[in-house]
Amino acid sequence: MGFKTRLGLLILVDSIIVLFSIYVGYWLLSSSATIVPTAIIVSSIALFVCHHIFAHRYKLYQRVWQYASIQELTAIFKAVTLSIVTVAVILLIGFQGFFIRTLLITWMLHILLIGASRFSWRLYRDTKLNKGKDKQRTLIIGAGDGGSMVARQLLNSETSELHPVAFVDDDVTKHNLEIMGLPVIGSVRDTAKVVEENNIDHILIAIPSLTKTDLNDIFSICSKTKVRTQIMPSVEDIMSGKVSVQQIRDVQVEDLLGREPVELDTEKIGNKLTGKTVVVTGAGGSIGSEVCRQVCNFTPEKIVLLGHGENSIYSIELELRNTYQDITIVTEIADVQDKERMNDVMHKHRPDVVYHAAAHKHVPLMERNPHEAVKNNVIGTKNVAEASHEAGVDTFVMISTDKAVNPTSVMGATKRIAEMVVQHMDIVSDTKFVAVRFGNVLGSRGSVIPLFKKQIEAGGPVTVTDPEMTRYFMTIPEASRLVIQAGAIAKGGEVFVLDMGEPVKIVDLAKNLIRLSGFSEDEIEITYTGMRPGEKLFEELLGENEVHKEQIYPQIYRGKTPQVNINVIYDLIDEFERNSTETLREKTLDIAHFRVESLSRLSVVK
């Protein structure tokens, strides 16, 4: 229906309602009268004109009535009431009085009929939406603002396959009440019972301010029902405009980490990065690419993406160029093992800050290839660190790992030795050198999550090394934020550690992923394969002799790591090509554990 046709139809309907209301109101009070008095005729003309004026004023002809709500009802009330009041004033002036009861009945009929004519469009639409459509009966967890918004969106959606039927909420004052016509029929702990008794096909968690710990608890309850569970976006995402309320999504394993994300000191970071030149090594990797995104949020003058893999560097370059047009983005395809190339890059760009993310990190592969681990993790770090010193870099931040604590693997040992190199460089250089140590990163390349997902997609089994194996976990954005924050608060020589909450059992992570994928543990088997060479049953973020108990920043600790004789490390670098695989493995572990003579004495004093 075109706008002009629609406008004409509404004006015609309103005109009929106006005249019908006033004459019926007069007739109900004066049914015996055979002649309509002049005052009623004047009233009807005045009401006719006034109604259309106020209807235009409150846009009764421009509103989409199939979505009518309280706002539209309020507009009708104002337009009708002001029309009646205006007519009463006209009668008072022209006829020294007015028919108060007639106008009162006219007002009531007017509102009733205008409202009915408009809201019938909404009623027709709602009936049409739910007629003949096989929608999933949906239980909404949370009867607050978030739940109300989601319920309204679902009820008004023509495309959604979800039909809300009830709420559950822990606020007992809402129990046995109705919201949007939907009953609140219990608490969250009653979810399983409500699902069974009401033939629920779908569960939607609609508490946008929910903490991750509470979400984990609620999801554990929902997972017992074997009904698909989804979640609405967070308050931050809704308010920032990233997503809308109706963009519900599946619960992700990241949502179930029992810890809250790190908040940034944006002022300090801004002072460190805004208008500066930044180099990120390993910029194409999972952590490196996210560090680039986080850095660009603070508008550096130039960011240099340095990496060995051209495809991954091209990918992050393309993404950043499309998002940040005002930042100079430079790519350098280079290997951190090439000392001369590192010197060339650093002297060419003269960066203010360097984030060193390039490293080999796969534990079993490095056990079989210790030479490559030493070349990339130790020699590569040394090359980048020394080049940063020569170029006068202000701050150098190395990304380390919890596997560097009491290492049992070549990968962990080489990262610990890399930390030693960085600490030594802080002693001999004016550049502030720091390391950032954190646990496993969810979703990064080579992490356990993608492996579990592939195994679940294949129908299982999901392989876990040991039922007691635990790890600390964090998301890629969190890990990257820690790196950025560490660079901002660095004084030099520190090893920063994130308070990562409680460690998570790998088998519990596997069970959560199985449930998140819509399966039960009966359908997807979990098998135990035994620990692989170099693995530990549990990880530590700081050794016993490294712990500073106080936080230097919310959720960030500073480790006190012992200093070492750098000559021992340089001897390893000089000899490593002549060492056999087994000898090299043993020597890196000896150095990482301070089992080499004179290791605790510094060769150079700042």
Side-chain angles (χ1 to χ4, degrees), residues 262-311:
V262 178
E263 297 297 329
L264 296 179
D265 185 337
T266 54
E267 183 177 353
K268 278 190 176 180
I269 296 173
N271 292 337
K272 177 69 68 172
L273 298 179
T274 302
K276 304 296 178 62
T277 297
V278 179
V279 169
V280 181
T281 72
S286 305
I287 299 296
S289 60
E290 183 62 26
V291 168
C292 294
R293 297 183 190 98
Q294 300 278 354
V295 166
C296 286
N297 288 332
F298 293 92
T299 321
E301 179 182 344
K302 178 169 68 174
I303 183 168
V304 181
L305 315 178
L306 189 152
H308 188 48
E310 58 177 332
N311 291 331

Side-chain angles (χ1 to χ4, degrees), residues 322-340:
N322 289 335
T323 309
Y324 303 98
Q325 287 84 12
D326 297 332
I327 299 174
T328 300
I329 299 170
V330 180
T331 58
E332 296 283 0
I333 303 301
D335 191 338
V336 294
Q337 298 175 35
D338 187 338
K339 183 175 182 177
E340 291 185 6

Side-chain angles (χ1 to χ4, degrees), residues 538-574:
F538 60 92
E539 299 289 3
E540 307 159 273
L541 290 169
L542 284 170
E544 290 183 3
N545 62 340
E546 295 181 308
V547 178
H548 279 292
K549 293 184 179 180
E550 72 280 2
Q551 294 183 353
I552 63 167
Y553 185 82
Q555 299 191 54
I556 298 179
Y557 292 91
R558 177 172 57 88
K560 49 179 180 181
T561 54
Q563 298 168 325
V564 298
N565 187 336
I566 197 65
N567 290 332
V568 177
I569 297 172
Y570 285 174
D571 288 343
L572 169 70
I573 293 172
D574 291 337

